């Protein structure tokens, strides 16, 4: 299980407490005037298939370092005071939290924008893979979505640092 | 020694998650390593690793195109990512 307190990135099987994470983020930021957060959840249905469980596989070590690089990139682009990312791996059920991104800044513009940037980039470059299992035990790997790739174009992200 | 890792659909299709390949000048770059694996493990591996959306990483950083390998490097093959 990867834990990197310095980079503010956690990849873990355990669930997380959003209120605790946000308090810790604000404390670390020092003088935050704005915090923007994003939370992703497992849906009951995906691509018209019922989801019984979702398994998240990842590349330990690279997941942490690639998300940390995204956070650093965001902090270089916008005046971010502090940022945190938690991503769960292992077996999850519909309704469970998968990912949390929190960004603290003096003003809301930087907080909103950096939070969205981190999430967009995470979806297309962090080495994580979802496998959905249906109620009958049928399982399949979730396919990457072109729309996620297209969202990256808004950020003028160089192809050198992307995962595909 | 090179450590070679496979993830997600690629891991499942190959039936292997990790293997070690002795480092020699015949596997001194990612393309040569991939060709070595396809020759050693057969047509099924060639078909899986030849899929054009396969991503390759060296020492936990994605590489685009061919990339040199040194003794002790870790190489990974995986499909497009779907986290978040």
């Amino acid at each position: 299980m990867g834990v990197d307190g310095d980079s503010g990135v956690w990849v873990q099987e355990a669930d997380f407490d959003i209120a605790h994470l946000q308090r810790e983020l604000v404390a670390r930021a020092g003088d935050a005037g704005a915090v923007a957060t994003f939370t992703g959840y497992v849906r009951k249905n995906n691509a018209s298939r019922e989801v019984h469980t979702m398994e998240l596989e990842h590349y330990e070590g690279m997941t942490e370092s690639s998300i940390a690089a995204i956070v650093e990139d965001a902090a270089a682009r916008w005046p971010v005071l502090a940022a945190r990312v938690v991503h769960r791996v292992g077996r999850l059920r519909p309704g469970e939290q998968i990912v949390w991104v929190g960004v603290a800044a003096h003003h809301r513009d930087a907080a909103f924008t950096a939070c969205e940037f981190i999430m967009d980039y995470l979806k297309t470059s962090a080495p994580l893979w979802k496998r959905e299992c249906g109620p009958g035990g049928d399982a399949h790997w979730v396919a990457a979505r072109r729309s996620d790739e297209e969202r990256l174009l808004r950020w003028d992200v160089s192809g050198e640092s992307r995962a595909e | 020694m090179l450590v070679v890792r496979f993830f997600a659909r690629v891991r499942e299709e190959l039936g292997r998650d990790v293997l070690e390949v002795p480092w020699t000048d015949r596997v001194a770059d990612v393309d040569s390593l991939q060709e070595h694996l396809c020759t050693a493990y057969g047509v099924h591996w060639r078909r899986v690793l030849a899929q054009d959306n396969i991503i390759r990483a060296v020492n936990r950083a994605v590489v685009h195109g061919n990339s040199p390998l040194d003794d002790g490097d870790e190489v990974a093959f995986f499909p497009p990512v779907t986290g978040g």
Side-chain angles (χ1 to χ4, degrees):
Chain A
M1 187 169 304
V3 175
D4 186 345
D6 292 326
S7 68
V9 175
W10 289 270
V11 178
Q12 61 188 44
E13 291 188 12
D15 197 8
F16 49 84
D17 178 347
I18 293 172
H20 172 79
L21 288 168
Q22 181 153 339
R23 277 196 300 274
E24 196 273 336
L25 176 69
V26 171
R28 187 180 179 87
D31 187 29
V35 168
T37 71
F38 173 87
T39 311
Y41 295 85
V42 182
R43 283 177 292 147
K44 292 189 183 72
N45 290 283
N46 188 26
S48 20
R49 277 188 283 229
E50 186 180 344
V51 178
H52 181 259
T53 54
M54 172 177 285
E55 292 166 3
L56 270 147
E57 179 172 334
H58 80 121
Y59 186 172
E60 189 172 347
M62 183 174 169
T63 313
E64 292 85 344
S65 60
S66 65
I67 296 173
I70 297 166
V71 172
E72 278 180 31
D73 194 3
R77 288 168 179 244
W78 298 283
V80 169
L81 294 172
R84 287 279 189 258
V85 178
V86 184
H87 204 300
R88 293 179 69 194
V89 292
R91 183 168 297 184
L92 304 178
R93 298 294 301 269
E96 287 198 68
Q97 302 174 147
I98 304 177
V99 60
W100 184 86
V101 177
V103 178
H106 285 308
H107 302 288
R108 71 182 185 284
D109 287 13
F112 273 133
T113 310
C115 185
E116 191 172 19
F117 171 87
I118 291 169
M119 199 56 218
D120 280 358
Y121 205 152
L122 184 155
K123 283 195 84 85
T124 50
S125 67
L128 291 138
W129 301 273
K130 289 179 179 141
R131 186 169 181 268
E132 290 174 346
C133 307
D138 52 308
H140 65 275
W141 293 100
V142 172
R145 297 193 315 175
R146 180 170 293 275
S147 58
D148 287 333
E149 273 294 301
E150 288 166 354
R151 282 182 68 91
L152 278 191
L153 299 175
R154 301 179 309 157
W155 305 110
D156 186 30
V157 172
S158 126
E160 285 306 300
S161 51
R162 288 164 46 196
E164 56 182 321
Chain B
M1 197 69 80
L2 298 171
V3 176
V4 189
R5 296 187 186 280
F6 309 99
F7 290 94
R9 180 172 47 74
V10 174
R11 170 183 57 71
E12 210 166 67
E13 288 176 355
L14 297 180
R16 293 291 292 266
D17 60 350
V18 62
L19 56 81
E20 291 186 337
V21 176
W23 187 89
T24 68
D25 58 5
R26 291 186 300 108
V27 291
D29 59 63
V30 177
D31 284 349
S32 303
L33 172 67
Q34 182 167 331
E35 181 55 33
H36 168 79
L37 294 172
C38 293
T39 303
Y41 291 93
V43 64
H44 176 63
W45 281 54
R46 187 174 298 282
R47 187 185 61 73
V48 172
L49 295 179
Q51 295 172 86
D52 60 9
N53 61 0
I54 297 286
I55 295 162
R56 307 190 298 187
V58 175
N59 297 331
R60 300 174 179 181
V62 170
V63 294
H64 299 270
N66 202 8
S67 180
L69 295 176
D70 288 322
D71 198 7
D73 281 349
E74 179 171 296
V75 183
F77 295 82
F78 50 79
V81 303
T82 56

